[in-house]
């Protein structure tokens, strides 16, 4: 019985030894396989994209950005990793997400809107940062020299063609007495746009009344007051007002006063007309600049880019709502080169 017992235990130990060998081999293969996968993943460039919030205009920028990369052979998940973060209009989210994208060793960072770009700029001065639609990079403190960026930041400006817009307002309202402008005081891009409108109105001797809001909660009351004092309203590039355009349109229509916003999407939402920078094309420009950096170009060799002329946009339904005649030449221009919302 003793011999049989020893034989039994030796047999058990032999089997256990065999199982241990198999387990060690499996773990070794898994370990090296995981490391190999990590190495392969590290070879795939990571691009971190941060946006302030979801909005049709901002979504168009991101769509153009993605499509430009795809057209140039960069397929997300295959030979590039795009990490898209949306802060839902929350400043604390911006800071957290900017830190996340920086800590993940992104090869290039992209900031869509000024607050998003500023949040990213505050987290790193080494990783290349491409501005996706920042109205005034210099005024926002992101660059000192737009022609020769000196740090890690370059990109695309979505500055609205204010001169074209003011000339357009005169065509619609040749007897304009007072123009109103409304903007968000906490948004540096909106403030920059307001100051440009102010300067251009002085040159054209257009009486201007300015109104500002701290956040979207102020828009209803402030815009009601504004429409009672002006003949028409111009809106600079302003993400807060763009996100609450429905409120502005409601009060404008009630007062039978037209709104001339900066973005095409805001015309679609009830603005009357504008010359707008094409948001999709801005996104493609942002994508092209990102690709150049991925291919090895230095930020200092890539000046800030701007769109010089806007795309004509008109909302015929809104014109009928306000009983306003659309200038014939502008309508023809929209039909040939721009967009007509009916």
């Amino acid at each position: 019985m003793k011999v049989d017992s020893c034989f039994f235990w030796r047999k058990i130990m032999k089997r256990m030894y065999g199982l241990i060998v198999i387990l060690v081999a499996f773990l070794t293969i898994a370990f090296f396989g995981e490391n190999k996968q990590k190495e392969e993943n590290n070879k795939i460039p990571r691009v971190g994209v941060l946006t302030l919030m979801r909005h049709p205009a901002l979504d168009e920028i991101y769509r153009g950005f993605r499509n430009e990369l795809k057209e140039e052979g960069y397929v997300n998940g295959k030979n590039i990793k795009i990490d898209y973060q949306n802060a839902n209009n929350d400043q604390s989210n911006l800071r957290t997400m900017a830190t996340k994208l920086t800590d993940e060793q992104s090869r290039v960072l992209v900031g869509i809107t000024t607050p998003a770009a500023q949040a990213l700029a505050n987290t790193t001065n080494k990783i290349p940062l491409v501005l996706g639609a920042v109205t005034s990079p210099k005024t926002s403190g992101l660059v000192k020299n737009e022609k020769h960026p000196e740090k890690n930041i370059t990109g695309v400006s979505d500055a609205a063609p204010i001169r074209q817009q003011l000339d357009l307002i005169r065509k619609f309202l040749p007897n304009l007495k007072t123009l109103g402008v409304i903007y968000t005081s906490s948004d540096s891009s909106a403030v920059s746009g307001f100051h440009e409108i102010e300067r251009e109105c002085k040159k054209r001797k257009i009486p201007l009344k300015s109104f500002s809001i701290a956040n979207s909660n102020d828009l209803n009351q402030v815009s009601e007051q504004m429409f009672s004092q002006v003949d028409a309203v111009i809106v600079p590039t302003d993400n807060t007002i763009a996100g609450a355009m429905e409120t502005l349109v409601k009060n404008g229509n009630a007062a039978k006063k037209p709104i001339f916003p900066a973005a095409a999407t805001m015309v679609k939402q009830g603005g009357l007309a504008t010359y707008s920078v094409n948001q999709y094309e801005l996104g493609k420009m942002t994508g092209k600049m990102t690709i150049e950096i991925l291919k090895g170009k230095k930020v200092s060799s890539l000046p800030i880019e701007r769109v010089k002329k806007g795309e004509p946009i008109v909302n015929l339904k809104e014109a009928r709502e306000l009983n306003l005649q659309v200038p014939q030449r502008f309508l023809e221009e929209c039909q040939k080169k721009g967009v007509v919302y009916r």
Side-chain angles (χ1 to χ4, degrees):
M1 293 293 293
K2 186 175 181 180
V3 174
D4 290 345
S5 178
C6 290
F7 176 78
F8 173 76
W9 285 111
R10 280 199 302 271
K11 193 173 182 181
I12 293 295
M13 291 298 293
K14 189 175 181 179
R15 288 183 178 178
M16 289 182 66
Y17 177 75
L19 288 172
I20 290 171
V21 170
I22 293 171
L23 180 61
V24 170
F26 175 78
L27 292 174
T28 301
I29 292 170
F31 174 76
F32 284 108
E34 184 180 355
N35 280 351
K36 185 177 181 181
Q37 185 63 46
K38 285 182 178 179
E39 287 177 7
E40 289 177 358
N41 288 341
N42 288 336
K43 290 179 183 177
I44 298 176
R46 179 184 289 270
V47 175
V49 181
L50 179 61
T51 186
L52 176 64
M53 62 183 179
R54 291 294 305 273
H55 180 269
L58 304 182
D59 294 346
E60 276 295 282
I61 293 170
Y62 182 56
R63 187 172 73 88
F65 170 81
R66 285 284 299 270
N67 285 350
E68 180 62 29
L69 264 64
K70 187 176 181 180
E71 288 170 12
E72 292 298 319
Y74 290 89
V75 181
N76 190 29
K78 184 177 180 181
N79 58 356
I80 195 170
K81 170 62 178 174
I82 301 174
D83 189 349
Y84 173 81
Q85 299 288 319
N86 168 26
N88 290 314
N89 207 19
D90 187 311
Q91 291 293 329
S92 61
N93 283 346
L94 279 178
R95 291 189 291 271
T96 301
M97 291 173 177
T99 301
K100 174 183 180 293
L101 293 175
T102 302
D103 289 347
E104 288 179 345
Q105 302 295 311
S106 298
R107 187 82 62 84
V108 183
L109 296 169
V110 177
I112 299 176
T113 72
T114 300
Q118 289 172 328
L120 289 167
N122 288 334
T123 64
T124 179
N125 58 7
K126 295 181 180 179
I127 301 174
L129 169 57
V130 179
L131 310 177
V134 171
T135 304
S136 181
K138 190 173 181 179
T139 303
S140 302
L142 290 162
V143 299
K144 291 182 180 179
N145 189 328
E146 293 191 5
K147 292 183 179 179
H148 303 284
E150 69 286 349
K151 297 193 296 182
N152 63 316
I153 303 173
T154 187
V156 179
S157 168
D158 66 341
I162 301 298
R163 294 176 184 177
Q164 278 187 300
Q165 291 175 351
L166 289 174
D167 290 343
L168 178 63
I169 293 171
R170 279 292 199 194
K171 289 176 183 177
F172 268 93
L173 302 168
N175 298 318
L176 176 73
K177 294 180 180 178
T178 305
L179 179 65
V181 57
I182 188 165
Y183 64 97
T184 304
S185 58
S186 57
D187 183 334
S188 59
S189 292
V191 173
S192 175
F194 157 64
H195 287 310
E196 186 176 353
I197 290 169
E198 192 176 40
R199 287 192 298 270
E200 291 299 325
C201 281
K202 283 183 180 179
K203 290 179 184 178
R204 288 165 169 73
K205 296 182 179 179
I206 298 174
L208 183 71
K209 275 196 172 186
S210 62
F211 300 81
S212 65
I213 60 172
N215 53 58
S216 58
N217 294 329
D218 298 338
L219 185 58
N220 187 54
Q221 182 177 352
V222 173
S223 63
E224 280 186 341
Q225 178 188 2
M226 173 181 64
F227 283 116
S228 69
Q229 300 177 33
V230 303
D231 302 311
V233 169
I234 185 170
V235 185
T237 302
D238 190 311
N239 294 309
T240 301
I241 293 177
M245 188 64 181
E246 185 178 317
T247 298
L248 189 64
V249 170
K250 172 180 69 71
N251 290 338
N253 286 349
K256 294 296 179 182
K257 305 289 176 67
I259 302 164
F260 296 87
T265 51
M266 296 168 76
V267 174
K268 185 177 183 180
Q269 291 172 295
L272 176 59
T274 194
Y275 280 99
S276 170
V277 173
N278 188 303
Q279 306 296 318
Y280 179 80
E281 290 303 319
L282 281 175
K284 288 181 70 69
M285 290 168 65
T286 304
K288 285 179 182 177
M289 196 169 284
T290 300
I291 291 168
E292 289 190 82
I293 294 172
L294 287 171
K295 289 182 176 179
K297 272 207 172 185
K298 293 183 178 179
V299 169
S300 58
S301 68
L302 298 169
I304 297 291
E305 294 186 7
R306 292 174 179 269
V307 177
K308 294 180 180 179
K309 288 188 176 181
E311 179 181 82
I313 317 286
V314 67
N315 187 326
L316 296 183
K317 181 180 178 181
E318 189 63 21
R320 290 192 296 270
E321 172 72 25
L322 300 173
N323 295 317
L324 283 173
Q325 184 70 36
V326 178
Q328 186 60 33
R329 285 189 180 180
F330 177 68
L331 179 58
E332 291 172 359
E333 187 183 1
C334 291
Q335 291 169 336
K336 290 179 181 179
K337 302 177 182 178
V339 179
V340 178
Y341 293 115
R342 300 178 186 277

